[in-house]
Amino acid sequence: MTTSSDAYRRAGVDIESGNLTARMIRSAVESTHGPEVLTRSGLFSGAYALDDHRVLVASADSVGTKVRLAAALGRNSSVGIDLVNHCANDILTTGATPIFFLDYFASSRLVPEVVAEVMEGVAAACREAGCALLGGETAELPGLYAPGEYDLAGFIVGVVERDRMLDGTRVRAGDALVALPSSGPHTNGFSLVNRILTDGGERELTPESVAEHDRELGGSLADALLAPHRSYVRELLPLVHDGRVKGVAHITGGGISDNLPRMLPEGLGAVVDTSTWELPPVFRWIQELGGVSRAEMFHVFNVGVGAIVAVSPEDVEGVVRDLGGAWVIGEVVSGGQ
Amino acid sequence: MTTSSDAYRRAGVDIESGNLTARMIRSAVESTHGPEVLTRSGLFSGAYALDDHRVLVASADSVGTKVRLAAALGRNSSVGIDLVNHCANDILTTGATPIFFLDYFASSRLVPEVVAEVMEGVAAACREAGCALLGGETAELPGLYAPGEYDLAGFIVGVVERDRMLDGTRVRAGDALVALPSSGPHTNGFSLVNRILTDGGERELTPESVAEHDRELGGSLADALLAPHRSYVRELLPLVHDGRVKGVAHITGGGISDNLPRMLPEGLGAVVDTSTWELPPVFRWIQELGGVSRAEMFHVFNVGVGAIVAVSPEDVEGVVRDLGGAWVIGEVVSGGQ
């Protein structure tokens, strides 16, 4: 898959600038790392060895500009769910069980009802993931945010036994790659979505302006776009624990091509057969209305694939059966990265 | 101390609205708490019992609108230090040693050099606190932030032995309260400061417009305002470990009157003698230029007091001697809260 990010740049997001930023901060980050830090930069989450047996795994994330759509549609609890599930899936890639979560909510003017709605979503997803909402910060920051906007970030911590941690070393050439469906765009690509919905910033985002597209989609576009980021914790963790799932990639910003390699050790690559599934209707709608190339769709969105796991050939049949809606999407191969 | 927040509300921050929000989210938060969660809502940090012996302590915070001043003055590394030290002090209130930190940086348009400056500050403070910068998220969110603005939040995790955790139960009536000086406003009250510096939003914040006030202050106002949030970890942790410091309050938003009670158990209160120190020049400048009442100064700012610790009477002399610049500010008394 090639990396064309023209439409995304037009939507105001510069992936190259983000990559430059990442390189510039890497040495600062690594200057703080002692032997307790088990992961290199660039993974889904960071791992810290608390002692010889236990590893704490942590991740920070935001919902991105999906919050703009949620705020405009007055449906704020869904982004609370998004936030927790995105973070929980990130640490799931190491096999960690979530233990606690903290949130950060900020706006130029706090609207208590909006904060409460968001936090109800956060709490519901925490209960579902079995993790405690241990704290957080709610900040009123005049002038910092555009009027009516708010931002939402979250931090999760999980724990995993050191000898059961997923770090790529169990993945072998010949392993099958099994895909789990996403529920929609999850929390990526919304700058592009918002740009389409506002005709490039020319129109207001309102419930009515979004509903105008329902006929094209054949259903509620608001529902399709705001469907909460699916959590794979309850489904996948038992298969990680019984050893059948040997690697987990969470498909987020950068799509399959950027995220799948993060679960592979050096020297292994992946072949993905994109004919094994059809882009769900909401992605076809985005592609058509936004005039986005297929290559860029695959680079910005999960295009229907929320997670990909590596499984030994002999376990594929059982794993696909145990995971509702899963399918074999490809194979781990030698070389590649 | 009374709670008058007129000037702060004029600056765009509504403390009452924030309190209402806090009440609305409390039940959602507590619905996620199992027996592992050791702290009630409203403390400086949350505590999670990992096992019978060890407790993880976590806190999330932001630098608030100090980032607006830092961005305007092009001095971005200082807020990176602020962020880590604010969080580290918050978990210090339980006696926890910081182990790792994650950051969240967001802006409508990423400027790699600005991100890199901030992260250098974050990394330097992490090294100083002995904690690993384990991860983070850098997000470009078009339209969400006002042009040229960015926000910065952080999340820290520390560890403390369960039987050494500070939870207020060791504090007694008759204990001395020992104050540690702040380095300036730290990370609170900057919406009000920014309002003063912009004549209520009428003027641009620039290095020159801030420097115009240097004569009134008798020194660099930019230096005084942006002085990094002081970390008390290296000074106080040894005294927590040797048992002489029995309670720690971090004086942040809400000032002494809101934060000091957070380290006291039910049934105990505090008497603070405000004649034991003078407001440092930067706070007198804020009070005078902003037309802020003394009561409100005490409610919005730390007014020179960055932390207050509880110490048995027999240990006071040694503790004051060991902590550079500390002084006895008051006493723990029966009743009160």
Side-chain angles (χ1 to χ4, degrees), chain A residues 12-14 21 28 31-33 50-51 54 62 64 68 102 104 115 123 127 133 140 142-146 151 155 191, chain B residues 12-14 21 28 31-33 50-51 54 62 64 68 104 115 123 127 133 140-146 151 155 191:
Chain A
V13 175
D14 187 341
T21 306
S31 74
T32 70
H33 288 184
L50 192 63
D51 53 37
R54 266 179 309 186
S62 84
R68 298 194 73 190
L102 291 90
Y104 175 65
V115 182
R127 288 193 302 270
L133 178 50
E140 184 161 84
L144 203 55
Y145 289 83
D151 197 11
F155 309 93
S191 296
Chain B
V13 175
D14 188 338
T21 306
S31 74
T32 69
H33 287 184
L50 192 63
D51 53 37
R54 268 178 309 185
S62 85
R68 300 194 71 189
Y104 175 66
V115 182
R127 289 192 301 270
L133 179 48
E140 183 161 85
L141 305 172
L144 204 55
Y145 289 84
D151 197 11
F155 162 73
S191 295

Side-chain angles (χ1 to χ4, degrees), chain A residues 9 11-15 17-18 20-21 24-25 27-34 37-39 45-48 50-51 54 56-65 67-68 98-104 106 108-113 115-116 119-120 122-124 126-127 130-146 149-153 155-157 159 191 194, chain B residues 9 11-15 17-18 20-21 24-25 27-34 37-39 45-48 50-51 54 56-65 67-68 98-100 102-104 106 108-113 115-116 119-120 122-124 126-127 130-146 149-157 159 191 194:
Chain A
R9 181 174 292 127
V13 175
D14 187 341
I15 291 179
S17 164
L20 173 63
T21 306
M24 289 179 76
I25 65 184
S27 66
V29 170
E30 290 178 352
S31 74
T32 70
H33 288 184
V37 176
L38 304 181
T39 41
S45 52
Y48 184 95
L50 192 63
D51 53 37
R54 266 179 309 186
L56 298 176
V57 183
S59 185
D61 227 305
S62 84
V63 176
T65 47
V67 291
R68 298 194 73 190
I99 57 173
F100 62 78
F101 185 87
L102 291 90
D103 68 283
Y104 175 65
S108 282
R109 180 161 294 280
L110 289 180
V111 180
E113 292 73 17
V115 182
M119 295 310 295
E120 276 162 24
V122 167
C126 280
R127 288 193 302 270
C131 75
L133 178 50
L134 198 59
E137 169 73 1
T138 308
E140 184 161 84
L141 303 172
L144 203 55
Y145 289 83
E149 305 287 355
Y150 63 84
D151 197 11
L152 187 60
F155 309 93
I156 201 165
V157 172
V159 65
S191 296
N194 293 340
Chain B
R9 181 172 291 130
V13 175
D14 188 338
I15 291 179
S17 163
L20 172 63
T21 306
M24 288 179 76
I25 65 184
S27 66
V29 171
E30 290 178 351
S31 74
T32 69
H33 287 184
V37 176
L38 304 180
T39 41
S45 51
Y48 184 95
L50 192 63
D51 53 37
R54 268 178 309 185
L56 298 176
V57 183
S59 184
D61 226 308
S62 85
V63 176
T65 47
V67 289
R68 300 194 71 189
I99 58 173
F100 63 78
L102 292 93
D103 69 283
Y104 175 66
S108 282
R109 180 160 293 280
L110 289 181
V111 180
E113 292 73 17
V115 182
M119 295 309 296
E120 276 163 22
V122 167
C126 280
R127 289 192 301 270
C131 74
L133 179 48
L134 197 59
E137 169 73 1
T138 308
E140 183 161 85
L141 305 172
L144 204 55
Y145 289 84
E149 306 287 355
Y150 63 82
D151 197 11
L152 187 59
F155 162 73
I156 200 165
V157 172
V159 64
S191 295
N194 293 341

Side-chain angles (χ1 to χ4, degrees), chain B residues 71-302:
Chain B
L73 300 186
R75 290 168 59 161
N76 300 294
S77 70
S78 67
V79 287
I81 301 173
D82 286 321
L83 181 67
V84 176
N85 290 355
H86 186 140
C87 290
N89 288 342
D90 273 349
I91 63 166
L92 177 65
T93 61
T94 66
T97 301
I99 58 173
F100 63 78
F101 185 86
L102 292 93
D103 69 283
Y104 175 66
F105 181 104
S107 181
S108 282
R109 180 160 293 280
L110 289 181
V111 180
E113 292 73 17
V114 171
V115 182
E117 268 182 59
V118 169
M119 295 309 296
E120 276 163 22
V122 167
C126 280
R127 289 192 301 270
E128 179 70 17
C131 74
L133 179 48
L134 197 59
E137 169 73 1
T138 308
E140 183 161 85
L141 305 172
L144 204 55
Y145 289 84
E149 306 287 355
Y150 63 82
D151 197 11
L152 187 59
F155 162 73
I156 200 165
V157 172
V159 64
V160 59
E161 296 294 316
R162 190 157 180 169
D163 58 7
R164 299 178 80 164
M165 187 172 157
L166 299 182
D167 57 2
T169 51
R170 272 173 258 180
V171 179
R172 300 276 178 272
D175 281 350
L177 294 169
V178 173
L180 285 91
S182 66
S183 56
H186 287 177
T187 47
N188 290 102
F190 278 87
S191 295
L192 204 159
V193 168
N194 293 341
R195 192 179 149 85
I196 295 170
L197 288 170
T198 59
D199 294 341
E202 297 294 310
R203 299 182 63 186
E204 288 274 308
L205 263 180
T206 66
E208 295 71 28
S209 73
V210 174
E212 284 173 18
H213 298 284
D214 288 355
R215 188 186 302 245
E216 297 150 14
L217 187 72
S220 164
L221 180 62
D223 286 352
L225 289 173
L226 290 184
H229 197 127
R230 190 172 156 192
S231 169
Y232 302 99
V233 172
R234 282 182 177 263
E235 267 176 295
L236 286 182
L237 217 40
L239 304 191
V240 170
H241 289 163
D242 72 20
R244 289 187 291 165
V245 162
K246 308 190 296 178
V248 178
H250 182 203
I251 310 303
T252 58
I256 296 173
S257 58
D258 277 11
N259 289 290
L260 183 50
R262 296 162 94 184
M263 78 159 169
L264 301 175
E266 275 188 43
L268 293 187
V271 172
V272 167
D273 180 356
T274 60
S275 73
T276 58
W277 81 103
E278 284 201 348
L279 260 56
V282 69
F283 295 106
R284 297 203 299 269
W285 177 88
I286 292 167
Q287 184 174 4
E288 194 166 316
L289 269 283
V292 185
S293 70
R294 183 172 162 90
E296 187 168 4
M297 285 300 296
F298 271 74
H299 193 60
V300 172
F301 293 98
N302 67 55

